[in-house]
PDB file of all heavy atoms in Angstrom:
ATOM      1  N   LEU P 271      81.553  -4.346 -50.427  1.00 84.00           N
ATOM      2  CA  LEU P 271      80.104  -4.255 -50.614  1.00 84.00           C
ATOM      3  C   LEU P 271      79.693  -4.909 -51.924  1.00 84.00           C
ATOM      4  O   LEU P 271      78.708  -5.646 -51.994  1.00 84.00           O
ATOM      5  CB  LEU P 271      79.661  -2.792 -50.585  1.00 84.00           C
ATOM      6  CG  LEU P 271      78.169  -2.535 -50.780  1.00 84.00           C
ATOM      7  CD1 LEU P 271      77.357  -3.238 -49.704  1.00 84.00           C
ATOM      8  CD2 LEU P 271      77.898  -1.031 -50.760  1.00 84.00           C
ATOM      9  N   GLU P 272      80.460  -4.659 -52.978  1.00 86.00           N
ATOM     10  CA  GLU P 272      80.147  -5.248 -54.282  1.00 86.00           C
ATOM     11  C   GLU P 272      80.243  -6.767 -54.222  1.00 86.00           C
ATOM     12  O   GLU P 272      79.423  -7.479 -54.805  1.00 86.00           O
ATOM     13  CB  GLU P 272      81.098  -4.705 -55.346  1.00 86.00           C
ATOM     14  CG  GLU P 272      80.759  -5.174 -56.743  1.00 86.00           C
ATOM     15  CD  GLU P 272      81.567  -4.463 -57.805  1.00 86.00           C
ATOM     16  OE1 GLU P 272      81.682  -3.228 -57.720  1.00 86.00           O
ATOM     17  OE2 GLU P 272      82.086  -5.144 -58.714  1.00 86.00           O
ATOM     18  N   ALA P 273      81.228  -7.278 -53.468  1.00 87.00           N
ATOM     19  CA  ALA P 273      81.382  -8.726 -53.348  1.00 87.00           C
ATOM     20  C   ALA P 273      80.181  -9.338 -52.619  1.00 87.00           C
ATOM     21  O   ALA P 273      79.684 -10.407 -53.012  1.00 87.00           O
ATOM     22  CB  ALA P 273      82.681  -9.042 -52.600  1.00 87.00           C
ATOM     23  N   ILE P 274      79.712  -8.669 -51.586  1.00 87.00           N
ATOM     24  CA  ILE P 274      78.541  -9.160 -50.852  1.00 87.00           C
ATOM     25  C   ILE P 274      77.316  -9.196 -51.762  1.00 87.00           C
ATOM     26  O   ILE P 274      76.561 -10.175 -51.793  1.00 87.00           O
ATOM     27  CB  ILE P 274      78.264  -8.257 -49.624  1.00 87.00           C
ATOM     28  CG1 ILE P 274      79.362  -8.429 -48.574  1.00 87.00           C
ATOM     29  CG2 ILE P 274      76.900  -8.570 -49.016  1.00 87.00           C
ATOM     30  CD1 ILE P 274      79.266  -7.468 -47.418  1.00 87.00           C
ATOM     31  N   LEU P 275      77.109  -8.121 -52.515  1.00 89.00           N
ATOM     32  CA  LEU P 275      75.951  -8.044 -53.400  1.00 89.00           C
ATOM     33  C   LEU P 275      75.999  -9.127 -54.479  1.00 89.00           C
ATOM     34  O   LEU P 275      74.981  -9.767 -54.788  1.00 89.00           O
ATOM     35  CB  LEU P 275      75.869  -6.657 -54.038  1.00 89.00           C
ATOM     36  CG  LEU P 275      75.542  -5.496 -53.087  1.00 89.00           C
ATOM     37  CD1 LEU P 275      75.653  -4.159 -53.808  1.00 89.00           C
ATOM     38  CD2 LEU P 275      74.144  -5.671 -52.504  1.00 89.00           C
ATOM     39  N   ARG P 276      77.167  -9.345 -55.056  1.00 88.00           N
ATOM     40  CA  ARG P 276      77.296 -10.371 -56.095  1.00 88.00           C
ATOM     41  C   ARG P 276      77.029 -11.763 -55.519  1.00 88.00           C
ATOM     42  O   ARG P 276      76.373 -12.599 -56.146  1.00 88.00           O
ATOM     43  CB  ARG P 276      78.691 -10.313 -56.727  1.00 88.00           C
ATOM     44  CG  ARG P 276      78.917  -9.105 -57.623  1.00 88.00           C
ATOM     45  CD  ARG P 276      80.271  -9.189 -58.311  1.00 88.00           C
ATOM     46  NE  ARG P 276      80.523  -8.036 -59.148  1.00 88.00           N
ATOM     47  CZ  ARG P 276      80.010  -7.850 -60.362  1.00 88.00           C
ATOM     48  NH1 ARG P 276      79.216  -8.773 -60.887  1.00 88.00           N
ATOM     49  NH2 ARG P 276      80.291  -6.759 -61.056  1.00 88.00           N
ATOM     50  N   ALA P 279      73.243 -12.044 -54.848  1.00 87.00           N
ATOM     51  CA  ALA P 279      72.458 -12.059 -56.085  1.00 87.00           C
ATOM     52  C   ALA P 279      72.621 -13.377 -56.842  1.00 87.00           C
ATOM     53  O   ALA P 279      71.754 -13.768 -57.622  1.00 87.00           O
ATOM     54  CB  ALA P 279      72.866 -10.887 -56.970  1.00 87.00           C
ATOM     55  N   LEU P 302      70.790  -0.379 -51.819  1.00 86.00           N
ATOM     56  CA  LEU P 302      71.436  -1.641 -52.194  1.00 86.00           C
ATOM     57  C   LEU P 302      70.758  -2.258 -53.424  1.00 86.00           C
ATOM     58  O   LEU P 302      71.428  -2.834 -54.287  1.00 86.00           O
ATOM     59  CB  LEU P 302      71.391  -2.613 -51.022  1.00 86.00           C
ATOM     60  CG  LEU P 302      72.215  -2.163 -49.807  1.00 86.00           C
ATOM     61  CD1 LEU P 302      71.891  -3.007 -48.595  1.00 86.00           C
ATOM     62  CD2 LEU P 302      73.703  -2.209 -50.116  1.00 86.00           C
ATOM     63  N   TYR P 303      69.444  -2.114 -53.514  1.00 87.00           N
ATOM     64  CA  TYR P 303      68.730  -2.629 -54.688  1.00 87.00           C
ATOM     65  C   TYR P 303      69.170  -1.883 -55.941  1.00 87.00           C
ATOM     66  O   TYR P 303      69.392  -2.492 -57.002  1.00 87.00           O
ATOM     67  CB  TYR P 303      67.218  -2.475 -54.482  1.00 87.00           C
ATOM     68  CG  TYR P 303      66.395  -3.139 -55.560  1.00 87.00           C
ATOM     69  CD1 TYR P 303      66.113  -4.507 -55.508  1.00 87.00           C
ATOM     70  CD2 TYR P 303      65.897  -2.408 -56.636  1.00 87.00           C
ATOM     71  CE1 TYR P 303      65.354  -5.120 -56.485  1.00 87.00           C
ATOM     72  CE2 TYR P 303      65.152  -3.018 -57.630  1.00 87.00           C
ATOM     73  CZ  TYR P 303      64.877  -4.366 -57.552  1.00 87.00           C
ATOM     74  OH  TYR P 303      64.126  -4.974 -58.542  1.00 87.00           O
ATOM     75  N   ASP P 304      69.322  -0.569 -55.836  1.00 88.00           N
ATOM     76  CA  ASP P 304      69.801   0.223 -56.983  1.00 88.00           C
ATOM     77  C   ASP P 304      71.211  -0.200 -57.385  1.00 88.00           C
ATOM     78  O   ASP P 304      71.540  -0.243 -58.578  1.00 88.00           O
ATOM     79  CB  ASP P 304      69.762   1.714 -56.649  1.00 88.00           C
ATOM     80  CG  ASP P 304      68.347   2.255 -56.524  1.00 88.00           C
ATOM     81  OD1 ASP P 304      67.417   1.591 -57.018  1.00 88.00           O
ATOM     82  OD2 ASP P 304      68.169   3.333 -55.921  1.00 88.00           O
ATOM     83  N   ARG P 305      72.045  -0.510 -56.402  1.00 88.00           N
ATOM     84  CA  ARG P 305      73.402  -0.972 -56.701  1.00 88.00           C
ATOM     85  C   ARG P 305      73.379  -2.316 -57.425  1.00 88.00           C
ATOM     86  O   ARG P 305      74.178  -2.557 -58.341  1.00 88.00           O
ATOM     87  CB  ARG P 305      74.224  -1.087 -55.413  1.00 88.00           C
ATOM     88  CG  ARG P 305      74.678   0.257 -54.825  1.00 88.00           C
ATOM     89  CD  ARG P 305      75.350   0.033 -53.485  1.00 88.00           C
ATOM     90  NE  ARG P 305      75.864   1.266 -52.934  1.00 88.00           N
ATOM     91  CZ  ARG P 305      77.141   1.656 -53.006  1.00 88.00           C
ATOM     92  NH1 ARG P 305      78.026   0.895 -53.627  1.00 88.00           N
ATOM     93  NH2 ARG P 305      77.539   2.793 -52.482  1.00 88.00           N
ATOM     94  N   LEU P 306      72.462  -3.188 -57.000  1.00 89.00           N
ATOM     95  CA  LEU P 306      72.326  -4.479 -57.678  1.00 89.00           C
ATOM     96  C   LEU P 306      71.904  -4.295 -59.133  1.00 89.00           C
ATOM     97  O   LEU P 306      72.422  -4.976 -60.033  1.00 89.00           O
ATOM     98  CB  LEU P 306      71.292  -5.345 -56.944  1.00 89.00           C
ATOM     99  CG  LEU P 306      71.787  -6.075 -55.697  1.00 89.00           C
ATOM    100  CD1 LEU P 306      70.614  -6.650 -54.922  1.00 89.00           C
ATOM    101  CD2 LEU P 306      72.755  -7.184 -56.079  1.00 89.00           C
ATOM    102  N   LEU P 307      70.975  -3.377 -59.364  1.00 89.00           N
ATOM    103  CA  LEU P 307      70.566  -3.092 -60.735  1.00 89.00           C
ATOM    104  C   LEU P 307      71.745  -2.574 -61.559  1.00 89.00           C
ATOM    105  O   LEU P 307      71.914  -2.948 -62.738  1.00 89.00           O
ATOM    106  CB  LEU P 307      69.427  -2.062 -60.742  1.00 89.00           C
ATOM    107  CG  LEU P 307      68.063  -2.533 -60.267  1.00 89.00           C
ATOM    108  CD1 LEU P 307      67.084  -1.356 -60.242  1.00 89.00           C
ATOM    109  CD2 LEU P 307      67.525  -3.635 -61.208  1.00 89.00           C
ATOM    110  N   SER P 308      72.538  -1.709 -60.930  1.00 88.00           N
ATOM    111  CA  SER P 308      73.714  -1.166 -61.627  1.00 88.00           C
ATOM    112  C   SER P 308      74.718  -2.277 -61.963  1.00 88.00           C
ATOM    113  O   SER P 308      75.267  -2.331 -63.077  1.00 88.00           O
ATOM    114  CB  SER P 308      74.374  -0.098 -60.766  1.00 88.00           C
ATOM    115  OG  SER P 308      75.538   0.404 -61.387  1.00 88.00           O
ATOM    116  N   LEU P 309      74.952  -3.177 -61.005  1.00 86.00           N
ATOM    117  CA  LEU P 309      75.870  -4.291 -61.235  1.00 86.00           C
ATOM    118  C   LEU P 309      75.364  -5.191 -62.356  1.00 86.00           C
ATOM    119  O   LEU P 309      76.128  -5.632 -63.226  1.00 86.00           O
ATOM    120  CB  LEU P 309      76.044  -5.106 -59.954  1.00 86.00           C
ATOM    121  CG  LEU P 309      76.893  -4.502 -58.849  1.00 86.00           C
ATOM    122  CD1 LEU P 309      76.847  -5.374 -57.603  1.00 86.00           C
ATOM    123  CD2 LEU P 309      78.324  -4.300 -59.322  1.00 86.00           C
ATOM    124  N   LYS P 310      74.065  -5.463 -62.334  1.00 81.00           N
ATOM    125  CA  LYS P 310      73.469  -6.297 -63.373  1.00 81.00           C
ATOM    126  C   LYS P 310      73.630  -5.658 -64.752  1.00 81.00           C
ATOM    127  O   LYS P 310      73.957  -6.319 -65.733  1.00 81.00           O
ATOM    128  CB  LYS P 310      71.998  -6.531 -63.085  1.00 81.00           C
ATOM    129  CG  LYS P 310      71.312  -7.442 -64.071  1.00 81.00           C
ATOM    130  CD  LYS P 310      69.842  -7.654 -63.694  1.00 81.00           C
ATOM    131  CE  LYS P 310      69.152  -8.556 -64.721  1.00 81.00           C
ATOM    132  NZ  LYS P 310      67.719  -8.732 -64.389  1.00 81.00           N
ATOM    133  N   GLY P 311      73.425  -4.333 -64.811  1.00 78.00           N
ATOM    134  CA  GLY P 311      73.575  -3.633 -66.085  1.00 78.00           C
ATOM    135  C   GLY P 311      75.003  -3.671 -66.580  1.00 78.00           C
ATOM    136  O   GLY P 311      75.242  -3.864 -67.791  1.00 78.00           O
ATOM    137  N   ARG P 312      75.960  -3.524 -65.661  1.00 78.00           N
ATOM    138  CA  ARG P 312      77.371  -3.569 -66.072  1.00 78.00           C
ATOM    139  C   ARG P 312      77.737  -4.960 -66.573  1.00 78.00           C
ATOM    140  O   ARG P 312      78.455  -5.120 -67.562  1.00 78.00           O
ATOM    141  CB  ARG P 312      78.254  -3.192 -64.873  1.00 78.00           C
ATOM    142  CG  ARG P 312      78.365  -1.674 -64.686  1.00 78.00           C
ATOM    143  CD  ARG P 312      78.862  -1.313 -63.304  1.00 78.00           C
ATOM    144  NE  ARG P 312      79.968  -2.177 -62.862  1.00 78.00           N
ATOM    145  CZ  ARG P 312      80.410  -2.188 -61.610  1.00 78.00           C
ATOM    146  NH1 ARG P 312      79.817  -1.436 -60.705  1.00 78.00           N
ATOM    147  NH2 ARG P 312      81.416  -2.956 -61.275  1.00 78.00           N
ATOM    148  N   ASP P 313      77.245  -6.001 -65.847  1.00 77.00           N
ATOM    149  CA  ASP P 313      77.588  -7.364 -66.241  1.00 77.00           C
ATOM    150  C   ASP P 313      76.986  -7.722 -67.600  1.00 77.00           C
ATOM    151  O   ASP P 313      77.628  -8.418 -68.399  1.00 77.00           O
ATOM    152  CB  ASP P 313      77.097  -8.351 -65.179  1.00 77.00           C
ATOM    153  CG  ASP P 313      77.852  -8.203 -63.878  1.00 77.00           C
ATOM    154  OD1 ASP P 313      78.932  -7.582 -63.880  1.00 77.00           O
ATOM    155  OD2 ASP P 313      77.351  -8.703 -62.838  1.00 77.00           O
ATOM    156  N   GLU P 314      75.756  -7.285 -67.827  1.00 72.00           N
ATOM    157  CA  GLU P 314      75.097  -7.592 -69.095  1.00 72.00           C
ATOM    158  C   GLU P 314      75.638  -6.750 -70.227  1.00 72.00           C
ATOM    159  O   GLU P 314      75.553  -7.130 -71.404  1.00 72.00           O
ATOM    160  CB  GLU P 314      73.594  -7.386 -68.952  1.00 72.00           C
ATOM    161  CG  GLU P 314      72.935  -8.398 -68.021  1.00 72.00           C
ATOM    162  CD  GLU P 314      71.465  -8.136 -67.835  1.00 72.00           C
ATOM    163  OE1 GLU P 314      70.996  -7.063 -68.309  1.00 72.00           O
ATOM    164  OE2 GLU P 314      70.769  -8.969 -67.229  1.00 72.00           O
ATOM    165  N   GLY P 315      76.163  -5.559 -69.883  1.00 62.00           N
ATOM    166  CA  GLY P 315      76.723  -4.688 -70.920  1.00 62.00           C
ATOM    167  C   GLY P 315      78.079  -5.171 -71.342  1.00 62.00           C
ATOM    168  O   GLY P 315      78.458  -5.183 -72.478  1.00 62.00           O
TER     169      GLY P 315
END
Side-chain angles (χ1 to χ4, degrees):
L271 179 59
E272 185 171 315
I274 291 173
L275 292 173
R276 288 185 181 281
L302 294 168
Y303 187 83
D304 291 342
R305 285 174 177 261
L306 279 168
L307 288 176
S308 178
L309 286 174
K310 183 179 179 182
R312 278 163 43 191
D313 293 344
E314 292 177 352

